[in-house]
Amino acid sequence: MAKSITGYDWTTILIFLLLVGFGWANIYSASLGVNTGNLLDLNQVYGRQGLWIVLSFFILIIVLSIEPKFYQRFSSVIYIISLLSLAGLFVFGKTIAGQTAWYVMGPVSLQPAEFAKAATALAVAKYVSGIQVNLKEFEHQLKVFVIISLPVLLVMMQPDAGSAMVYFAFIFPLYREGLHFAYLLLGFFAAILFVATLAFGIPWVIGGILAIGGLMFLRNRKRRPNILKYLFLMTVAIGFSLSVNYVFENVFKQHHRDRFNIVLGKEVDSRGIGYNTNQSEIAIGSGGWFGKGWTEGTQTKGHFVPEQHTDYIFSTVGEEWGFLGSSFVIFLFVLLLVRLLYLAERQRSQFSRVYGYSVIGIIFMHFLVNIGMVIGIFPTVGIPLPFFSYGGSGLWAFTILLFIFIKLDAERISYI
Amino acid sequence: MRKLLLYIIILTTGLIFLARVFYLQVIDTSLALRSQDNAIEINYDYPQRGYIYDRNGELMVSNQPSYDVMVIPRNLKPFDTLEFSKILNITPDELGKKLDKAKIYSPLLPSVIIPQLTKSEYAFLQEKMRKYEGFYIQKRSLRDYQVDHSANVLGYIAQVNKQIIKDNPYYISGDLIGRSGVESVYEELLRGVKGVKYIQKDRFNRDIGPYKDGIFDTLPEKGKDINITIDSKLQEYGEKLMQNKRGGIVALEPATGEILALVTAPSYDPSLLVGRKRSPNYTRLYYDSIARPLYDRGLLAEYPPGSPFKTLNALIALQEDVVSTEDEFYCNNGYSYGRGRRMGCHAHSSPVDMIPGISTSCNSYFANVYRRIIEKYPSPQEGIDAWKNHLSSFGLGQFMGNDLSTGRPGKVPDSDYYNKIYNYPTYKWYSTATLSNAIGQGEVLMTPIQLANMTATIANRGWYYTPHILKEIEGEPIKEDKFTVKNHTTIEPRHFEPVVEGMHQVYINGTARSLQVPGIEIAGKTGTAENFTKIDGKRVQLTDHSIFVAFAPVDNPKIALAVFVENGYWGSRYAGRIASLMVEKYIKGEITRTDMEKWILENSLEDEYAKPLSGEPFTINQ
């Protein structure tokens, strides 16, 4: 434990408590059935979530009791155990809804992919904080890439594309620690090209690349640019676009394609594949300024939004608490992330800082993808809203992820 | 930069999310509406429409159950259209069109697919409906007419059209509404209020209980039963007498202003406009532009009143003190005025004072009386306006303010009117220019109900209640001021006695002496109105309209009526006979003069009506 209880960052803990509490209130409303039991009824979704929350308090106390050195020293072990637990799924795991993502032991199911994010964060922090490691060197870049890619591959094989996507979060700590800006830019342009290819089709994208390339060449022609360089870059861009198209049409499954098409506005069939997003937007939109009141949401009561207590929990907030409630939740997340950034920057040890940035990246990715999906500006990718959505594994994994950092921060003076 | 980038990304994301959420929740209001549609189903509970009884408690209109096949497009599941259209007995094409229409109206509100099934169709369909999700059968009540007359009085009910739905949010597609007659005027009394239940639905469209525990739900309110003032037997008899003729009968109870009978001929059986056959039948009646069965002649036809109007001139002259009842005027088979102009009259003793003037209907007498009224004033303009003022107090030249679904104001000319047609002040005009008003043949127009009300006012010696059709609501007499406060005319009661006596004399030794009813003292007045039509753009005179007004008994009037028979020639020929039979029927309850009844029932004017349409030359007034 810390030297004194004041060492912990109570701002972060308060936000954590608010999110968990408000989350439970919304899960309660979203899972309210016709026959309502008492609040502790473990047959009810809200009853179980209540239990997960209580257990998460025990977990965070355990996390805070462990010495920071333990996390650094044993990060590799934790990472390897985590990889084994992911690999073990293919032997012992249970397949639910097409995903082999669960260990089921009697009444308890665990989702190792949730915990793997924290383990990977520790491993990345450990490696990057090594004295001889320099992220400007290709060899070290490659090694980090491998550390991150192993869990991604295992998660992809479940298959759980949503969770795999979260690992993009590690670009943030790596960039902070010296990775070249070009990687960030590359990723950014790749994403734009990716979306543009799907949205406008190959002919337009190629036309656009040629036009932009041509214009830039003409503008810079006084400096006698190397025409081959331009041609090369344009060829790479077109090649990328073509391969995206190929992957989209031949590697992606139909439901992946559908999900992208909805967000790109290509599909408007509200009873078909756009149903989730459409219902979610209706629920949120019907909330107005102040919402319909807790447990009074007609869309929520009618269970129009599928998976409303898990991935779509934000739509309940929108319907029942209105703009007031949804901006409150957005505000809490932004506040949490900004606070964590502040904490990460004040760390003396590189390990703590890298870990902190990883935590921020992971929470941010979830925040971005989840709420973006629920409000209809991001493709439908099933990942939970941290601390908020229903689910024991998710809640515990985020609790562990966050509180390791709170512990590291609390001990930042004594521990270097 | 490396430290700042993530701040920027996080804050930007937060702002984009806020903007999007703001757009969804505050700016785009269509989503809130869709959520209502989505999750809340509205169920309606239609109450029974109120029954209609006549003044004696005889049931005229009750209800029969009816079943509509409805659809809620949102709830449709793919189904075998061929099979279903066969069950509904329509073509798949028609079914497709109806479904498209329903979708355009609203995907979430019910629309009618097949209206008003018979009981046997319903029994057959009910078992098969389950298979077709989105369709259901809505029970409603349709009218069941206990009488085959009074169609114009009762009116009919029909499904609301788009315009009504737009104008009145109470109604939704498929609702029924009164469209004419009592059904339309007392729609809100008769229909009651439909009950509403808001049901919270889940995404499988299952009921999961009342919305907000039912705080917005309402119970249906039953429609009210009403008694109308019509005497069903008298009405039926009037329609019978008017068969093969065109025209109207309006009978009032002078003491109350209640309408005892409101006959228009030709008419139709009200049962024709019920159920699925309503539409073709209505179309047929609507397009009968010759007989015009949907045109209520008792209320809408504006005719020159003819001789009965003379009684009003007599009253005005007495009130204006320009003649006394003893003043005599000569009649030389007519009245000459101006430069060689002449108003003809028939043969009778001469000179006459007021009472024989009325009973013989002497044109010369009233020409003199009328001129005295107008010429009492310094200018004919003032004279005409004073005259008009008296007529207005009888409710003429204006809408009566009754509770009937339709009506016309008639016409009473004033000085502005004559100034305009004679181009005053460039040209001057004098009382003689308006002399036809003396005998009811000029610019004055009256509807039969105005004529009847005039008669009732004379019967009451100076006042009337606004004629009305509603007598009781759920057994409680109506209390509306409009129908329970007397309208007094500008004529003092004492001036009515000589006019009443003149009208009484009409039956004793005047134009209606052959129409006396044994045991009943009747006062009346015959009338004959010239009328014209246009054939190939030429003005052609047709056989005169036969007009008669009467009230009885003279001393304690129970009934006042006006009868109007188009092209019935002179007043006592058709209208007088019918009036006399109506009076006897109402007061005695039976007819003693069966030969007169037989004559009326057997004589048809259809040949007369065919003349102007034949395209051949024809003679009139035979």
Side-chain angles (χ1 to χ4, degrees), chain A residues 172 175-176 179 184 275 278-279 281-282 284-286 288-289 292 298-299 301-304 318 322-323 326-327 337 345 364 367-368 371-372 375, chain B residues 1-3 5-7 9-11 13-14 16-18 20-22 24-26 31-32 34-35 38-40 200-203 208 211-212:
Chain A
F172 296 115
Y175 171 68
R176 171 65 182 83
L179 194 68
L184 217 62
Y275 184 79
N278 198 30
Q279 292 301 325
E281 283 182 24
I282 289 174
I284 293 172
S286 68
W289 278 102
K292 298 175 187 170
T298 54
Q299 301 296 299
K301 273 189 174 180
H303 302 294
F304 283 88
F323 179 68
S326 28
S327 48
L337 291 166
E345 282 301 333
F364 173 71
F367 170 67
L368 175 76
I371 294 187
I375 63 182
Chain B
M1 181 62 200
R2 287 189 189 274
K3 291 179 189 174
L5 184 74
L6 203 47
Y7 276 110
I9 292 176
I10 289 167
L11 290 174
T13 306
I16 291 172
F17 282 1
L18 278 181
R20 172 70 177 171
V21 167
F22 186 77
L24 287 177
Q25 299 190 303
V26 180
L31 292 168
R34 274 161 70 196
S35 127
N38 224 339
I40 310 298
Q200 167 84 54
K201 295 291 222 178
D202 72 2
R203 70 199 158 101
I208 53 170
Y211 171 59
K212 294 221 170 183

Coordinates of all heavy atoms in Angstrom, one line a residue, chain A residues 172 175-176 179 184 275 278-279 281-282 284-286 288-289 292 298-299 301-304 318 322-323 326-327 337 345 364 367-368 371-372 375, chain B residues 1-3 5-7 9-11 13-14 16-18 20-22 24-26 31-32 34-35 38-40 200-203 208 211-212:
Chain A
F172 N 0.1 5.3 -29.7 CA 0.2 6.6 -28.9 C 1.4 6.5 -27.9 O 2.3 7.5 -28.0 CB -1.1 6.9 -28.1 CG -2.2 7.2 -29.0 CD1 -3.3 6.3 -29.1 CD2 -2.2 8.3 -29.9 CE1 -4.4 6.6 -29.9 CE2 -3.3 8.5 -30.7 CZ -4.4 7.7 -30.8
Y175 N 4.6 6.6 -30.1 CA 4.9 7.9 -30.7 C 5.5 8.8 -29.6 O 6.4 9.6 -29.8 CB 3.6 8.5 -31.3 CG 3.8 10.0 -31.7 CD1 4.6 10.3 -32.8 CD2 3.1 11.0 -31.0 CE1 4.7 11.6 -33.2 CE2 3.3 12.3 -31.4 CZ 4.1 12.6 -32.5 OH 4.3 13.9 -32.8
R176 N 4.9 8.8 -28.4 CA 5.4 9.6 -27.3 C 6.8 9.3 -27.0 O 7.6 10.2 -26.7 CB 4.5 9.4 -26.1 CG 5.0 10.0 -24.8 CD 4.9 11.5 -24.9 NE 5.4 12.1 -23.7 CZ 6.7 12.4 -23.4 NH1 7.7 12.0 -24.3 NH2 7.1 13.0 -22.3
L179 N 8.8 7.2 -31.6 CA 8.5 6.6 -32.9 C 8.3 7.8 -33.9 O 7.7 8.8 -33.6 CB 7.3 5.8 -32.9 CG 7.0 4.9 -34.0 CD1 8.1 3.7 -34.1 CD2 5.6 4.3 -33.9
L184 N 2.8 7.6 -37.8 CA 1.4 8.1 -37.4 C 0.7 8.6 -38.7 O -0.4 8.3 -38.9 CB 1.6 9.3 -36.4 CG 0.6 9.4 -35.3 CD1 0.6 8.2 -34.4 CD2 0.8 10.6 -34.5
Y275 N -30.2 -1.9 -38.8 CA -31.1 -1.9 -37.7 C -30.5 -1.4 -36.4 O -31.1 -0.5 -35.8 CB -31.7 -3.3 -37.5 CG -32.7 -3.4 -36.4 CD1 -34.0 -2.9 -36.7 CD2 -32.5 -3.8 -35.1 CE1 -35.0 -3.0 -35.7 CE2 -33.4 -3.9 -34.2 CZ -34.7 -3.4 -34.5 OH -35.7 -3.5 -33.5
N278 N -29.6 2.3 -36.5 CA -30.8 3.1 -36.7 C -31.6 3.2 -35.3 O -32.0 4.2 -34.9 CB -31.7 2.4 -37.7 CG -32.7 3.3 -38.3 OD1 -32.5 4.5 -38.3 ND2 -33.9 2.8 -38.7
Q279 N -31.8 2.0 -34.7 CA -32.6 2.0 -33.5 C -31.8 2.8 -32.4 O -32.4 3.5 -31.6 CB -32.8 0.6 -33.0 CG -33.7 -0.2 -33.8 CD -35.1 0.4 -33.9 OE1 -35.6 1.0 -33.0 NE2 -35.7 0.3 -35.1
E281 N -29.8 5.3 -32.9 CA -30.0 6.7 -33.1 C -31.4 7.2 -32.7 O -31.5 8.3 -32.2 CB -29.7 7.0 -34.6 CG -28.3 7.0 -35.0 CD -28.1 7.4 -36.5 OE1 -28.9 8.1 -37.0 OE2 -27.0 7.0 -37.0
I282 N -32.4 6.4 -33.0 CA -33.7 6.8 -32.6 C -33.8 6.9 -31.1 O -34.4 7.9 -30.6 CB -34.7 5.7 -33.1 CG1 -34.9 5.8 -34.6 CG2 -36.1 6.0 -32.5 CD1 -35.8 4.7 -35.2
I284 N -31.4 7.5 -28.9 CA -30.7 8.7 -28.4 C -31.4 10.0 -28.8 O -31.7 10.9 -28.0 CB -29.3 8.7 -29.0 CG1 -28.5 7.6 -28.5 CG2 -28.6 10.0 -28.7 CD1 -27.1 7.4 -29.1
G285 N -31.8 10.0 -30.1 CA -32.5 11.2 -30.6 C -33.8 11.5 -29.9 O -34.1 12.7 -29.7
S286 N -34.5 10.5 -29.4 CA -35.8 10.7 -28.8 C -35.6 11.3 -27.3 O -36.6 11.7 -26.7 CB -36.6 9.5 -28.7 OG -36.0 8.5 -27.9
G288 N -34.0 14.0 -26.4 CA -34.2 15.5 -26.4 C -33.1 16.1 -25.4 O -32.1 15.5 -25.2
W289 N -33.5 17.2 -24.9 CA -32.5 17.9 -24.0 C -32.3 17.2 -22.7 O -31.2 17.0 -22.2 CB -33.1 19.3 -23.6 CG -32.8 20.4 -24.6 CD1 -33.7 20.9 -25.5 CD2 -31.6 21.1 -24.8 NE1 -33.1 21.9 -26.3 CE2 -31.9 22.0 -25.9 CE3 -30.3 21.0 -24.3 CZ2 -30.9 22.9 -26.4 CZ3 -29.4 21.9 -24.7 CH2 -29.6 22.8 -25.8
K292 N -36.1 11.1 -21.1 CA -37.4 10.7 -20.7 C -37.4 10.3 -19.2 O -38.5 10.0 -18.7 CB -37.9 9.5 -21.5 CG -38.0 9.9 -23.0 CD -38.3 8.6 -23.8 CE -38.3 9.0 -25.3 NZ -38.3 7.8 -26.2
T298 N -38.9 4.6 -23.7 CA -39.8 3.7 -24.4 C -39.0 2.8 -25.3 O -39.3 1.6 -25.4 CB -40.8 4.4 -25.2 OG1 -40.1 5.3 -26.1 CG2 -41.8 5.2 -24.3
Q299 N -37.9 3.3 -25.9 CA -37.1 2.4 -26.7 C -36.3 1.4 -25.9 O -36.2 0.2 -26.2 CB -36.1 3.3 -27.5 CG -36.7 4.3 -28.4 CD -37.5 3.7 -29.5 OE1 -37.0 3.0 -30.3 NE2 -38.8 4.0 -29.4
K301 N -37.2 0.3 -22.9 CA -38.2 -0.7 -22.3 C -38.6 -1.7 -23.4 O -38.8 -2.8 -23.1 CB -39.5 0.1 -21.9 CG -39.4 0.6 -20.5 CD -40.8 1.1 -20.1 CE -40.8 1.5 -18.6 NZ -42.2 1.9 -18.3
G302 N -38.8 -1.2 -24.6 CA -39.2 -2.1 -25.7 C -38.0 -2.9 -26.2 O -38.2 -3.8 -27.1
H303 N -36.8 -2.7 -25.7 CA -35.6 -3.5 -26.1 C -35.5 -3.4 -27.6 O -35.2 -4.4 -28.3 CB -35.7 -4.9 -25.6 CG -35.8 -5.0 -24.1 ND1 -34.8 -4.6 -23.3 CD2 -36.8 -5.4 -23.4 CE1 -35.2 -4.8 -22.0 NE2 -36.4 -5.3 -22.0
F304 N -35.7 -2.2 -28.1 CA -35.5 -2.0 -29.6 C -34.0 -2.0 -30.0 O -33.7 -2.4 -31.1 CB -36.1 -0.7 -30.0 CG -37.6 -0.7 -30.1 CD1 -38.4 -0.5 -29.0 CD2 -38.2 -1.1 -31.3 CE1 -39.8 -0.6 -29.1 CE2 -39.6 -1.2 -31.4 CZ -40.4 -0.9 -30.3
G318 N -28.6 8.2 -23.6 CA -29.1 9.2 -24.5 C -30.6 9.3 -24.4 O -31.2 10.4 -24.4
G322 N -31.1 12.2 -21.8 CA -31.1 13.3 -22.8 C -29.7 13.9 -23.1 O -28.7 13.2 -22.8
F323 N -29.7 15.0 -23.7 CA -28.4 15.6 -24.1 C -27.6 15.9 -22.8 O -26.3 15.8 -22.8 CB -28.6 16.9 -24.8 CG -27.4 17.6 -25.2 CD1 -26.5 17.1 -26.2 CD2 -27.0 18.8 -24.6 CE1 -25.4 17.7 -26.5 CE2 -25.9 19.5 -25.0 CZ -25.0 18.9 -25.9
S326 N -25.9 12.5 -21.9 CA -24.9 12.0 -22.8 C -23.7 12.9 -22.8 O -22.5 12.5 -22.9 CB -25.5 11.8 -24.2 OG -26.5 12.6 -24.5
S327 N -23.9 14.3 -22.7 CA -22.7 15.1 -22.7 C -22.0 14.9 -21.3 O -20.8 15.1 -21.3 CB -23.1 16.6 -22.9 OG -24.2 17.0 -22.1
L337 N -9.4 10.9 -19.4 CA -8.3 10.8 -20.3 C -7.3 11.9 -20.2 O -6.1 11.7 -20.1 CB -8.8 10.7 -21.8 CG -9.5 9.4 -22.1 CD1 -10.3 9.6 -23.5 CD2 -8.6 8.2 -22.2
E345 N 2.4 12.2 -17.7 CA 3.5 13.1 -18.0 C 4.4 13.5 -16.7 O 5.5 13.9 -16.8 CB 3.0 14.4 -18.6 CG 2.7 14.3 -20.1 CD 3.9 13.9 -20.9 OE1 5.1 14.2 -20.6 OE2 3.7 13.2 -22.0
F364 N -9.1 5.3 -24.7 CA -9.5 6.2 -25.7 C -10.0 5.4 -26.9 O -11.1 5.8 -27.5 CB -8.3 7.1 -26.2 CG -8.7 7.9 -27.4 CD1 -9.5 9.0 -27.3 CD2 -8.1 7.6 -28.6 CE1 -9.9 9.7 -28.4 CE2 -8.5 8.3 -29.8 CZ -9.3 9.4 -29.6
F367 N -13.5 4.2 -26.1 CA -14.3 5.4 -26.1 C -14.7 5.8 -27.5 O -15.9 6.0 -27.9 CB -13.6 6.5 -25.3 CG -14.3 7.9 -25.4 CD1 -15.5 8.1 -24.8 CD2 -13.6 8.9 -26.0 CE1 -16.1 9.4 -24.8 CE2 -14.2 10.2 -26.1 CZ -15.4 10.4 -25.5
L368 N -13.7 5.9 -28.3 CA -13.9 6.4 -29.7 C -14.7 5.4 -30.5 O -15.7 5.8 -31.1 CB -12.5 6.5 -30.4 CG -12.5 6.9 -31.9 CD1 -12.8 8.3 -32.1 CD2 -11.2 6.5 -32.5
I371 N -18.6 4.8 -28.6 CA -19.6 5.8 -28.7 C -19.8 6.2 -30.1 O -20.9 6.5 -30.6 CB -19.2 7.0 -27.8 CG1 -19.3 6.6 -26.3 CG2 -20.1 8.2 -28.0 CD1 -19.2 7.7 -25.3
G372 N -18.7 6.2 -30.9 CA -18.8 6.5 -32.3 C -19.7 5.6 -33.0 O -20.5 6.0 -33.9
I375 N -23.5 6.3 -31.8 CA -24.1 7.5 -32.3 C -24.0 7.6 -33.9 O -24.4 8.6 -34.5 CB -23.5 8.8 -31.7 CG1 -22.1 9.0 -32.0 CG2 -23.8 8.9 -30.2 CD1 -21.4 10.2 -31.4
Chain B
M1 N 5.3 18.8 -29.1 CA 4.4 18.2 -30.0 C 4.0 16.8 -29.6 O 2.8 16.4 -29.6 CB 5.0 18.2 -31.4 CG 4.1 17.6 -32.5 SD 2.6 18.6 -32.7 CE 1.5 17.4 -33.5
R2 N 5.0 16.0 -29.2 CA 4.7 14.6 -28.9 C 3.8 14.5 -27.6 O 3.0 13.6 -27.5 CB 6.0 13.9 -28.6 CG 6.8 13.6 -29.8 CD 8.0 12.6 -29.6 NE 8.8 12.5 -30.8 CZ 8.6 11.7 -31.7 NH1 7.5 10.8 -31.7 NH2 9.4 11.6 -32.8
K3 N 3.9 15.6 -26.8 CA 3.1 15.6 -25.6 C 1.7 16.1 -25.9 O 0.7 15.7 -25.3 CB 3.7 16.5 -24.5 CG 5.0 15.9 -23.9 CD 5.5 16.9 -22.9 CE 6.9 16.4 -22.5 NZ 7.5 17.4 -21.6
L5 N -0.1 16.0 -28.9 CA -0.9 15.4 -29.9 C -2.1 14.7 -29.3 O -3.2 14.8 -29.8 CB -0.1 14.4 -30.7 CG -0.9 13.8 -31.9 CD1 -1.1 14.8 -33.0 CD2 -0.2 12.6 -32.4
L6 N -1.9 13.9 -28.3 CA -3.0 13.1 -27.7 C -4.0 14.0 -27.1 O -5.2 13.7 -27.2 CB -2.4 12.1 -26.7 CG -3.3 10.8 -26.5 CD1 -3.7 10.2 -27.8 CD2 -2.5 9.8 -25.6
Y7 N -3.6 15.1 -26.4 CA -4.6 16.0 -25.9 C -5.5 16.5 -27.0 O -6.7 16.5 -26.9 CB -3.9 17.3 -25.4 CG -3.3 17.2 -23.9 CD1 -2.0 17.1 -23.7 CD2 -4.2 17.2 -22.9 CE1 -1.5 17.0 -22.4 CE2 -3.8 17.1 -21.6 CZ -2.4 17.0 -21.3 OH -2.0 16.9 -20.0
I9 N -6.1 15.1 -29.9 CA -7.0 14.1 -30.4 C -8.2 13.8 -29.5 O -9.3 13.7 -29.9 CB -6.2 12.8 -30.7 CG1 -5.2 13.0 -31.8 CG2 -7.1 11.6 -31.0 CD1 -4.3 11.9 -32.1
I10 N -7.9 13.7 -28.2 CA -8.9 13.4 -27.2 C -10.0 14.5 -27.2 O -11.2 14.3 -27.3 CB -8.3 13.3 -25.8 CG1 -7.5 11.9 -25.8 CG2 -9.4 13.2 -24.7 CD1 -6.7 11.8 -24.5
L11 N -9.5 15.8 -27.1 CA -10.5 16.9 -27.1 C -11.3 17.0 -28.3 O -12.5 17.2 -28.3 CB -9.8 18.2 -26.8 CG -9.2 18.3 -25.4 CD1 -8.3 19.6 -25.2 CD2 -10.3 18.3 -24.3
T13 N -12.1 14.5 -30.4 CA -13.1 13.5 -30.4 C -14.3 13.8 -29.5 O -15.4 13.7 -29.9 CB -12.4 12.2 -29.8 OG1 -11.3 11.9 -30.6 CG2 -13.4 11.0 -29.9
G14 N -13.9 14.4 -28.3 CA -15.0 14.8 -27.4 C -15.9 15.8 -28.0 O -17.2 15.7 -27.9
I16 N -16.4 16.4 -31.3 CA -17.2 15.8 -32.4 C -18.4 15.0 -31.8 O -19.5 15.1 -32.3 CB -16.3 14.9 -33.2 CG1 -15.3 15.7 -34.0 CG2 -17.2 14.0 -34.2 CD1 -14.2 14.9 -34.8
F17 N -18.1 14.2 -30.8 CA -19.2 13.4 -30.1 C -20.3 14.4 -29.6 O -21.5 14.1 -29.8 CB -18.7 12.6 -29.0 CG -17.9 11.3 -29.4 CD1 -17.8 11.1 -30.8 CD2 -17.4 10.4 -28.5 CE1 -17.2 9.9 -31.2 CE2 -16.8 9.3 -28.9 CZ -16.6 9.0 -30.3
L18 N -19.9 15.4 -28.9 CA -20.9 16.4 -28.4 C -21.8 16.9 -29.5 O -23.0 17.0 -29.4 CB -20.2 17.5 -27.7 CG -19.8 17.2 -26.2 CD1 -19.1 18.4 -25.6 CD2 -21.0 16.8 -25.4
R20 N -22.4 15.7 -32.5 CA -23.2 14.7 -33.0 C -24.4 14.4 -32.1 O -25.6 14.3 -32.6 CB -22.4 13.4 -33.3 CG -23.2 12.2 -33.7 CD -23.8 12.3 -35.1 NE -24.5 11.1 -35.5 CZ -25.2 11.0 -36.6 NH1 -25.3 12.0 -37.4 NH2 -25.8 9.9 -36.9
V21 N -24.1 14.3 -30.8 CA -25.2 14.0 -29.9 C -26.2 15.2 -29.8 O -27.4 15.0 -29.8 CB -24.6 13.7 -28.5 CG1 -25.7 13.7 -27.4 CG2 -23.9 12.4 -28.5
F22 N -25.6 16.4 -29.9 CA -26.5 17.6 -29.9 C -27.4 17.5 -31.2 O -28.6 17.8 -31.1 CB -25.6 18.8 -30.0 CG -26.4 20.1 -29.8 CD1 -26.9 20.5 -28.6 CD2 -26.6 20.9 -30.9 CE1 -27.6 21.7 -28.5 CE2 -27.4 22.1 -30.8 CZ -27.9 22.4 -29.6
L24 N -28.4 14.9 -32.9 CA -29.4 13.8 -32.8 C -30.5 14.2 -31.8 O -31.7 13.9 -32.0 CB -28.7 12.5 -32.3 CG -27.9 11.7 -33.3 CD1 -27.3 10.5 -32.6 CD2 -28.7 11.3 -34.5
Q25 N -30.1 14.8 -30.7 CA -31.1 15.0 -29.6 C -31.8 16.3 -29.6 O -32.9 16.4 -29.2 CB -30.3 14.8 -28.2 CG -29.7 13.4 -28.1 CD -29.2 13.2 -26.7 OE1 -28.4 13.9 -26.2 NE2 -29.7 12.1 -26.1
V26 N -31.2 17.3 -30.1 CA -31.8 18.6 -30.0 C -32.2 19.1 -31.4 O -33.3 19.7 -31.5 CB -30.8 19.6 -29.4 CG1 -31.5 21.0 -29.3 CG2 -30.4 19.1 -28.0
L31 N -36.4 12.2 -35.0 CA -36.1 11.0 -34.3 C -37.0 10.7 -33.1 O -37.4 9.6 -32.8 CB -34.6 11.0 -33.8 CG -33.6 10.9 -34.9 CD1 -32.2 11.2 -34.4 CD2 -33.6 9.5 -35.6
A32 N -37.4 11.8 -32.5 CA -38.3 11.7 -31.3 C -39.6 11.2 -31.8 O -40.2 10.3 -31.1 CB -38.5 13.1 -30.7
R34 N -40.1 9.3 -34.4 CA -40.0 7.9 -34.8 C -40.0 7.0 -33.6 O -40.5 5.9 -33.6 CB -38.8 7.7 -35.6 CG -39.0 8.0 -37.1 CD -37.8 8.3 -37.9 NE -37.0 7.1 -38.0 CZ -35.7 7.1 -38.4 NH1 -35.1 8.2 -38.6 NH2 -35.0 6.0 -38.5
S35 N -39.5 7.5 -32.5 CA -39.5 6.7 -31.3 C -40.9 6.5 -30.8 O -41.2 5.4 -30.3 CB -38.6 7.4 -30.2 OG -39.3 7.5 -29.0
N38 N -42.4 3.9 -33.0 CA -41.7 2.7 -32.8 C -42.2 1.9 -31.6 O -42.6 0.7 -31.8 CB -40.3 3.0 -32.5 CG -39.3 2.2 -33.2 OD1 -39.7 1.1 -33.6 ND2 -38.1 2.6 -33.3
A39 N -42.3 2.5 -30.5 CA -42.4 1.8 -29.3 C -43.8 1.8 -28.7 O -44.1 1.1 -27.8 CB -41.4 2.3 -28.2
I40 N -44.6 2.7 -29.2 CA -45.9 2.9 -28.6 C -47.0 2.6 -29.7 O -47.0 3.1 -30.7 CB -46.2 4.4 -28.2 CG1 -45.0 4.9 -27.3 CG2 -47.5 4.5 -27.4 CD1 -44.8 4.1 -26.1
Q200 N -47.1 -0.1 -24.6 CA -45.6 -0.1 -24.9 C -45.3 -1.4 -25.6 O -45.7 -2.5 -25.2 CB -44.9 -0.1 -23.5 CG -43.4 -0.4 -23.6 CD -42.6 0.7 -24.0 OE1 -42.6 1.8 -23.4 NE2 -41.7 0.5 -25.0
K201 N -44.6 -1.3 -26.7 CA -44.3 -2.5 -27.5 C -42.8 -2.8 -27.3 O -42.0 -1.9 -27.1 CB -44.6 -2.3 -29.0 CG -46.0 -2.1 -29.3 CD -46.8 -3.3 -29.1 CE -47.8 -3.5 -30.2 NZ -48.5 -4.8 -30.1
D202 N -42.4 -4.1 -27.5 CA -41.0 -4.3 -27.6 C -40.6 -4.5 -29.0 O -41.5 -4.3 -29.9 CB -40.6 -5.5 -26.7 CG -41.1 -6.8 -27.3 OD1 -41.7 -6.8 -28.4 OD2 -40.8 -7.9 -26.7
R203 N -39.4 -4.8 -29.3 CA -39.0 -4.8 -30.7 C -39.5 -5.9 -31.5 O -39.5 -5.9 -32.7 CB -37.4 -4.8 -30.8 CG -36.8 -6.1 -30.4 CD -35.3 -5.8 -30.1 NE -34.8 -6.9 -29.2 CZ -34.0 -7.8 -29.7 NH1 -33.7 -7.9 -31.0 NH2 -33.6 -8.7 -28.8
I208 N -45.9 -5.1 -24.0 CA -45.3 -5.3 -22.7 C -45.9 -4.4 -21.6 O -45.2 -4.0 -20.7 CB -43.7 -5.2 -22.7 CG1 -43.3 -3.8 -23.3 CG2 -43.1 -6.3 -23.5 CD1 -41.8 -3.6 -23.2
Y211 N -48.3 2.0 -21.6 CA -47.3 3.0 -21.6 C -47.5 4.0 -20.4 O -48.6 4.4 -20.2 CB -47.4 3.8 -22.9 CG -46.6 5.0 -23.0 CD1 -45.2 4.9 -22.9 CD2 -47.1 6.3 -23.3 CE1 -44.4 6.1 -23.0 CE2 -46.4 7.4 -23.4 CZ -45.0 7.3 -23.2 OH -44.2 8.4 -23.3
K212 N -46.4 4.2 -19.7 CA -46.5 5.0 -18.5 C -47.6 4.6 -17.5 O -48.4 5.5 -17.1 CB -46.6 6.5 -18.8 CG -45.3 7.0 -19.5 CD -44.9 8.4 -19.0 CE -43.6 8.7 -19.6 NZ -43.0 10.0 -19.2

